[in-house]
Amino acid sequence: MSTGALADESSRLFGPGRVITGMALLRPFYEGRVSPVDGTCAARFSRNGHNGSGYHVAAVMRESKSYDAFSDIFYMDAGYGFVLHKENIPIAITSFGFLSDRLIYVVQIQGRKTEGREGDAYLQRAYEEIQKVRWQQLLLSPVVDWAGDRGVAQVRLQPAKKNKYYNIEPITAGGRKFNERLETHYDGTARSLGFAFNENESYYYLDL
């Protein structure tokens, strides 16, 4: 995406009067900027004494080259997001949209699918790494940090029941287990990170 195209995208999202502010917000995503996850944060969400080192996030934008390296691994539900890595292994993704340049809405918290990992050393490593941390919290915390650093006033997060995959499976034991997993990913993560819930409009939110 060229600078001109980035300005057009900023104008489309935030209005012509907010092009410069919008470009500053969007630039890390179309560049695919990589940032280490704070060690204290990683240690906070580690499991069973894992030291939490070696994690980083890559900013991605669905309509840019920054997403190309991950498009075969994750489908992005929204236009912007972060991919969590352990060293060089992508293990989870979150994605969100901008409701304004001061408000984002997170609609995706997804771990990497590792079915069929037997016999695939790379997938086996991804599976092992994702078990070592509470990856949902570890993934969403950098989003909150990034938003606060760039003047976003509020982060919103959809509850599981608003996820397009909720109840997509038949109401069987397997379907209930899938829904419960989504509730852990979204509702559980929101509550654990101090998000409040808007009862009237049904979303979690964190004022920054």
Side-chain angles (χ1 to χ4, degrees), residues 43-73:
R44 176 185 172 194
F45 299 121
S46 67
R47 297 181 186 273
N48 301 321
H50 176 58
N51 64 17
S53 64
Y55 291 93
H56 66 271
V57 290
V60 290
M61 182 175 173
R62 191 165 59 191
E63 302 300 328
S64 79
K65 290 183 178 180
S66 66
Y67 178 49
D68 289 352
F70 309 108
S71 59
D72 291 338
I73 303 172

Side-chain angles (χ1 to χ4, degrees), residues 1-15 18-33 59-64 66 79-82 96-101 103-104 146 150 152:
M1 178 180 284
S2 66
T3 299
L6 185 64
D8 290 342
E9 176 72 354
S10 173
S11 179
R12 182 185 71 79
L13 282 173
F14 311 125
R18 305 291 289 174
V19 169
I20 300 301
T21 300
M23 287 177 67
L25 284 170
L26 301 182
R27 190 175 296 279
F29 299 97
Y30 91 84
E31 290 179 347
R33 199 168 297 172
V60 290
M61 182 175 173
R62 191 165 59 191
E63 302 300 328
S64 79
S66 66
Y80 306 88
F82 291 95
F96 55 86
F98 288 91
L99 300 182
S100 74
D101 60 354
L103 177 61
I104 64 173
W146 165 84
R150 285 157 181 79
V152 173

Side-chain angles (χ1 to χ4, degrees), residues 114-126:
T114 53
E115 290 86 348
R117 63 183 181 274
E118 297 79 6
D120 186 321
Y122 189 79
L123 277 183
Q124 178 64 32
R125 176 84 186 281

Side-chain angles (χ1 to χ4, degrees), residues 12 42 47 54 98 113 124 128 178-180 195 201:
R12 182 185 71 79
R47 297 181 186 273
F98 288 91
K113 292 181 179 180
Q124 178 64 32
E128 291 170 357
F178 180 78
N179 285 348
E180 289 169 2
F195 281 63
E201 298 184 44

